Amino acid sequence: VFNDPIHGHIALHPLLVRIIDTPQFQRLRSIKQLGGTYFVLKNRQPELNIDDRDILCVQIAGLCHDLGHGPFSHLFDGMVIPKILPNSKWKDYDLVLPPDLEFIKELINGPLDSQTPVDCYHLGIQNNFDYERSLKFARVCVVEGRKHICTRDKEIDNLYNMFHTRNGLHRRAYQHKVSNAIELMITEALVKANDYIEIQGSGGKMFKMSEAIEDMEAYSKLTDNVFDEILNSTDPNLAGAREILEDIHRRNLYKCVGLMYIENQLNKKTKDERQKVVDMTYGMKDKNPIDCMHFYSKDNPNKAFKIPKDRVSQLLPEKFSEQLIQVYCTKRDEQTLKKAKECFEEWRKLQQR
């Protein structure tokens, strides 16, 4: 029995405890991240024949869905690796597990043979959203031969509120200009340090950070601790990376000299390193996620249907994505900052013509 600060006391199956006690799982203590979701349908719909094995698979997926993250989570996955290995197709969810591998993978990533979003992804956000109420109204219905987690039609307003809240959290916190300045600096430091930090992996072979993603033993040792390793190093080859991290400690951060919402979306792979291109969405790029969800009614709980936006409200957004560009200056002296802000204003006026 574990005492969780959010959910209280939780009784876990012995296999789950064995997973938690592995070095790969304990590594997550040293990875900064967010996440977590769960659902319960067994008692409400006995016809689904959900057995203890199914429940165990769901619990394993809940435990393991973040195991593949690198240092600083999505920063490593989405910013560092693309810079070092721009042609890499590596993804952080390629788990190697015992039986029921495909089921566990689909719980984590969605159907392996389809690009259709999985509705249950949208049922676990806690911030300003009553997820317990949403779970109470969750129900499995068959849609075109596939089982989907659906929700009551009267819950659609709450779901729009959930996605709006998600967007607001990104706008106010996750994509804050100070947070993004730090992310840019950490990314630059890790890229500079990549060739000079080696991690021992399988068979005693040494790997660079960018190579460790191909070796489980080496990757298991790669955590946020690399930050302190660089910071405390005396290796002259790490001087450039060390200086950047020291600036973070001193709060001598890159300065945001301007930001602007843009109409024509930029290609993130070709952007300048001093720019941060931020996608503000409802979670599915430019799509309305509600369009991918299915609902049921009180009168016919086994028949799934979609609800078009115009049947909900005339006050809903017309667009579900926008891009914000934040431009940073790596130098902090007043003269350079003043010039950088002037240059940004000139560029912004050109973009708006």
Side-chain angles (χ1 to χ4, degrees), residues 246-270:
E246 287 172 348
D247 280 341
I248 293 176
H249 264 211
R250 293 193 295 260
R251 301 295 290 179
N252 184 24
L253 307 177
Y254 295 168
K255 302 298 183 183
C256 183
V257 295
L259 53 88
M260 182 180 71
Y261 289 95
I262 51 180
E263 291 292 331
N264 300 317
Q265 295 202 339
L266 298 179
N267 185 335
K268 290 187 176 183
K269 292 183 179 180
T270 61

Side-chain angles (χ1 to χ4, degrees), residues 89-151:
K89 296 186 181 199
W90 172 77
K91 293 185 178 179
D92 67 13
Y93 57 74
D94 196 15
L95 305 176
V96 180
L97 298 171
D100 297 308
L101 172 64
E102 286 197 6
F103 180 38
I104 293 170
K105 275 191 171 183
E106 288 193 347
L107 287 169
I108 296 171
N109 303 297
L112 301 179
D113 60 350
S114 170
Q115 297 300 313
T116 304
V118 180
D119 298 334
C120 62
Y121 275 8
H122 311 304
L123 295 179
I125 297 176
Q126 298 179 23
N127 194 293
N128 292 334
F129 174 71
D130 189 351
Y131 72 90
E132 290 183 341
R133 175 183 170 88
S134 184
L135 290 172
K136 286 179 182 178
F137 285 106
R139 182 174 179 82
V140 173
C141 301
V142 176
V143 180
E144 297 179 355
R146 269 193 114 124
K147 292 179 180 178
H148 281 249
I149 296 180
C150 307
T151 193

Side-chain angles (χ1 to χ4, degrees), residues 233-295:
S233 170
T234 57
D235 185 346
N237 292 313
L238 292 173
R242 184 166 57 247
E243 183 179 341
I244 294 171
L245 298 188
E246 287 172 348
D247 280 341
I248 293 176
H249 264 211
R250 293 193 295 260
R251 301 295 290 179
N252 184 24
L253 307 177
Y254 295 168
K255 302 298 183 183
C256 183
V257 295
L259 53 88
M260 182 180 71
Y261 289 95
I262 51 180
E263 291 292 331
N264 300 317
Q265 295 202 339
L266 298 179
N267 185 335
K268 290 187 176 183
K269 292 183 179 180
T270 61
K271 73 177 187 300
D272 189 289
E273 291 184 358
R274 293 161 297 180
Q275 296 176 357
K276 175 76 174 180
V277 179
V278 179
D279 288 318
M280 299 292 187
T281 76
Y282 267 41
M284 290 189 64
K285 297 183 178 179
D286 59 346
K287 295 180 181 178
N288 177 1
I290 304 296
D291 289 341
C292 299
M293 299 185 68
H294 291 83
F295 299 84

Side-chain angles (χ1 to χ4, degrees), residues 182-230:
I182 294 173
E183 285 202 352
L184 288 172
M185 294 176 76
I186 294 175
T187 298
E188 186 176 348
L190 293 183
V191 170
K192 284 180 178 291
N194 181 65
D195 291 340
Y196 307 107
I197 290 182
E198 291 192 320
I199 304 160
Q200 188 174 51
S202 303
K205 183 179 177 181
M206 304 303 291
F207 295 87
K208 299 177 183 177
M209 280 191 293
S210 59
E211 297 170 339
I213 63 177
E214 305 296 340
D215 183 88
M216 177 60 72
E217 186 175 333
Y219 194 61
S220 295
K221 300 174 182 176
L222 183 59
T223 71
D224 293 357
N225 289 336
V226 71
F227 185 105
D228 291 326
E229 183 179 345
I230 297 169

